[in-house]
Amino acid sequence: MKRTVFFTDSRANKNVTVFDTTLRDGEQTPGISFTLEEKLGIAEQISGIGVHAIEAGFPASSDAEREIVRAITNLGLSAQVCGLARSLRADVDACIDCGVDMVHVFIPTSDVQREYTIRKTREQVLEATGDIIAYTRDHVGRCMFSAMDATRTDWDYLIEVYRVAVDAGATIINVPDTVGVITPTAMKHLIERIDHEVNCPIDVHCHNDFGLAVANTIAAVEAGASQVQVTVNGLGERAGNADLAQTVMALSSIYGIDTGIRTTGLVETSRLVARYAGMSIPATHPIVGENAFAHESGIHSHGVITRSDTFEPGIMTPEMVGHRRRLKLGKHAGRHAVKQMLAEVHMEPAEEQLDEIVIRVKAIAGKGKRVTDADLYEIAESVMQLAPDEKTLELQDVAIMTGNHVIPTASVRATVDGVEHTFSSIGNGPVDAAVRAILGIIPAPVQLKEFNIEAISGGTDALGHVTIAVEDERGRAFDASASSDDIILASVEAVINAINLVCRTHKLDREQEE
């Protein structure tokens, strides 16, 4: 079948490299501060999925930052390690001292930045640019040069700055949309002009103030840019930067450009950084969000059950990015989705029963309540007049020890198929310790994929509602929930409910196979 083309008039390169600045610009997100261990873990993860260069930090900013950049350099990653420097020799020396592969020097070039941040004339900026790049190249093989606030710089002057940088030895030039104000059409014209008038590879760094960071990055590639700067989950100053997953998948799936990224690791990478950053991924976040490949509407669910590309891009599948397709329950759910979800756990209601199950699902969702897998199966058992399934795992007792000078520890006593088991675990907090203890005695291998807590009433005695999702060894996801004025007990109950769903499904799997 002939492939439809989704773009026009492209001068894009067949190969585009990816420069990740999560550890530098991403950490400048207000409220985010990664530890050394977290930065090392992120560096290894993004290098492992094929990122070509990692901006490890700004060594001159502090002794601690210098040690972090040096530690990342010493990991021996396949990705190049880059350090950021102002147009000051001391900054460059700090980068060199860390043993980085590349130094990224920058200087403000727009009139507003020059006059109010560094107080230099245009001529002084040109002189400083040539001097710092020449100095850098005397000490390190690769030098990236950024004309800070390039998109608000007079274009004739910007070209002059880049020519001075290249003549002095810059190995790649970066075009930053520092405050996210350019449009994709203007970005395309700018990059085309730079590509025509300056003989050097072009990199682009876009901010997301107007939600155009990814679009501007793609437009730059269309015009000839050969490297893109991104952050995981679009982290960064103010509204953030171009998102890694979105940029890579647009380039690879729509344009057919080779970015060298192992895309099946994108969701895993996103979740790792979200956990370390303490910032959850919005459900509607493209590519990696919980709802990126989820379907609730009856029309949509029916379509993807029949053929996935009816209501998904087709050129990008959940498997390509390390995600999974899910049918969701809600007030828009249709018969086909409910029937499919029940069939996956070997429940086959009659047509009249299916109609009643759908009605009850919509009734619950219509009250604003999330309908979990556990809710669906309980409804189906009631409508089909099935005997409630015996629970594999039943909690007998849970004890928590915590405090400001005590490592949170949980001890759990539970029965598994009638046999009593105990398990203890420590955790980052009492909830984490309790969940770890429960997972220590489970009869089926599961992975905790999602964990959400919300208050559904006010005051210090608020009723907490916990929703979780677990995944079995076959990659099937199950979600369950629980509510209590004790958030630890609600968490434990939700985990146990989800585990019992997995065990029930495995039991039915075995019966079907026999």
Side-chain angles (χ1 to χ4, degrees):
M1 182 168 50
K2 185 177 180 181
R3 174 174 170 170
T4 303
V5 177
F6 300 103
F7 58 91
T8 59
D9 189 28
S10 175
R11 301 172 64 243
N13 295 285
K14 292 182 178 180
N15 299 280
V16 170
T17 54
V18 177
F19 180 106
D20 186 280
T21 183
T22 302
L23 298 179
R24 199 275 301 171
D25 202 329
E27 195 186 30
Q28 290 174 206
T29 303
I32 290 181
S33 179
F34 298 121
T35 65
L36 170 61
E37 291 74 20
E38 289 170 345
K39 281 198 169 188
L40 294 176
I42 293 171
E44 290 179 326
Q45 177 68 25
I46 58 181
S47 176
I49 65 171
V51 163
H52 301 84
I54 296 172
E55 192 162 43
F58 184 12
S61 63
S62 69
D63 290 340
E65 184 77 352
R66 188 177 305 194
E67 290 307 309
I68 288 172
V69 174
R70 183 179 290 113
I72 293 172
T73 302
N74 290 337
L75 287 173
L77 303 174
S78 58
Q80 298 174 25
V81 178
C82 176
L84 182 69
R86 294 165 296 186
S87 295
L88 301 171
R89 292 192 174 190
D91 280 22
V92 174
D93 289 341
C95 291
I96 295 169
D97 182 59
C98 293
V100 297
D101 304 300
M102 176 194 301
V103 176
H104 177 192
V105 297
F106 70 93
I107 193 167
T109 55
S110 67
D111 290 341
V112 65
Q113 289 271 359
R114 281 190 307 97
E115 294 173 11
Y116 293 96
T117 64
I118 59 173
R119 303 185 184 280
K120 290 183 181 293
T121 65
R122 287 189 172 189
E123 291 71 25
Q124 288 174 321
V125 166
L126 290 172
E127 182 180 358
T129 297
D131 287 346
I132 197 63
I133 293 174
Y135 178 78
T136 302
R137 284 304 308 278
D138 284 342
H139 297 83
V140 68
R142 299 183 182 92
C143 175
M144 173 186 287
F145 170 73
S146 288
M148 188 174 177
D149 208 15
T151 56
R152 292 196 296 178
T153 301
D154 173 76
W155 286 15
D156 290 336
Y157 176 63
L158 183 64
I159 294 294
E160 187 177 0
V161 174
Y162 282 135
R163 283 175 171 167
V164 168
V166 173
D167 289 344
T171 54
I172 187 168
I173 54 175
N174 172 241
V175 182
D177 185 24
T178 303
V179 292
V181 293
I182 203 167
T183 64
T185 50
M187 175 64 87
K188 193 170 182 178
H189 288 309
L190 176 58
I191 299 300
E192 283 176 344
R193 180 173 175 187
I194 295 172
D195 190 40
H196 179 69
E197 299 185 30
V198 182
N199 184 25
C200 189
I202 300 171
D203 170 274
V204 64
H205 175 105
C206 296
H207 276 267
N208 205 36
D209 296 72
F210 284 92
L212 295 172
V214 173
N216 284 328
T217 301
I218 300 302
V221 172
E222 279 196 344
S226 57
Q227 181 166 280
V228 294
Q229 290 201 16
V230 296
T231 59
V232 178
N233 298 336
L235 297 178
E237 292 276 4
R238 305 181 310 281
N241 294 266
D243 177 85
L244 167 66
Q246 294 172 38
T247 303
V248 165
M249 291 312 298
L251 292 177
S252 61
S253 294
I254 297 175
Y255 291 84
I257 293 172
D258 183 5
T259 63
I261 299 297
R262 179 176 61 82
T263 62
T264 53
L266 290 175
V267 169
E268 175 188 354
T269 303
S270 171
R271 290 175 177 171
L272 174 75
V273 173
R275 186 168 76 250
Y276 288 164
M279 295 183 69
S280 60
I281 307 164
T284 55
H285 200 76
I287 316 298
V288 299
E290 178 186 349
N291 290 351
F293 298 94
H295 307 273
E296 177 187 317
S297 163
I299 295 174
H300 285 231
S301 297
H302 185 198
V304 297
I305 290 170
T306 305
R307 177 169 167 151
S308 62
D309 61 357
T310 52
F311 287 101
E312 289 178 5
I315 56 175
M316 177 180 68
T317 67
E319 293 78 15
M320 288 170 64
V321 300
H323 220 319
R324 294 199 178 272
R325 181 177 300 107
R326 293 205 64 189
L327 299 178
K328 293 282 191 174
L329 296 170
K331 67 179 182 179
H332 303 294
R335 297 175 80 258
H336 291 91
V338 172
K339 184 177 182 179
Q340 175 72 20
M341 293 179 71
L342 291 175
E344 289 174 357
V345 292
H346 312 293
M347 298 180 76
E348 299 179 0
E351 293 300 309
E352 298 79 7
Q353 293 173 330
L354 180 60
D355 290 337
E356 178 61 24
I357 293 169
V358 173
I359 289 171
R360 294 193 188 186
V361 166
K362 291 188 175 185
I364 294 174
K367 296 177 182 179
K369 182 178 182 290
R370 175 176 173 177
V371 185
T372 66
D373 296 337
D375 296 327
L376 172 64
Y377 304 149
E378 286 186 14
I379 292 170
E381 286 175 349
S382 174
V383 171
M384 297 170 68
Q385 297 183 342
L386 300 175
D389 195 68
E390 291 186 7
K391 295 180 178 179
T392 299
L393 179 65
E394 290 191 280
L395 178 69
Q396 301 300 314
D397 187 41
V398 57
I400 307 291
M401 181 175 65
T402 188
N404 62 328
H405 296 299
V406 176
I407 297 174
T409 305
S411 295
V412 171
R413 183 166 59 89
T415 58
V416 179
D417 290 326
V419 179
E420 187 173 291
H421 295 264
T422 59
F423 196 86
S424 297
S425 179
I426 61 174
N428 293 326
V431 171
D432 184 49
V435 171
R436 287 175 182 268
I438 289 293
L439 293 177
I441 60 173
I442 58 173
V446 298
Q447 283 188 315
L448 186 63
K449 306 300 289 187
E450 299 169 22
F451 185 93
N452 298 297
I453 301 176
E454 60 180 332
I456 55 178
S457 61
T460 56
D461 59 346
L463 192 64
H465 185 70
V466 176
T467 305
I468 71 159
V470 298
E471 191 174 273
D472 69 6
E473 71 274 16
R474 297 187 185 182
R476 295 177 296 188
F478 303 83
D479 56 17
S481 63
S483 299
S484 173
D485 55 4
D486 186 321
I487 202 65
I488 299 174
L489 293 181
S491 302
V492 169
E493 183 180 347
V495 171
I496 289 175
N497 289 341
I499 291 171
N500 281 323
L501 285 180
V502 175
C503 294
R504 178 186 185 281
T505 303
H506 286 189
K507 178 182 177 182
L508 291 171
D509 287 342
R510 291 192 296 271
E511 291 176 354
Q512 288 291 316
E513 292 170 358
E514 294 172 356

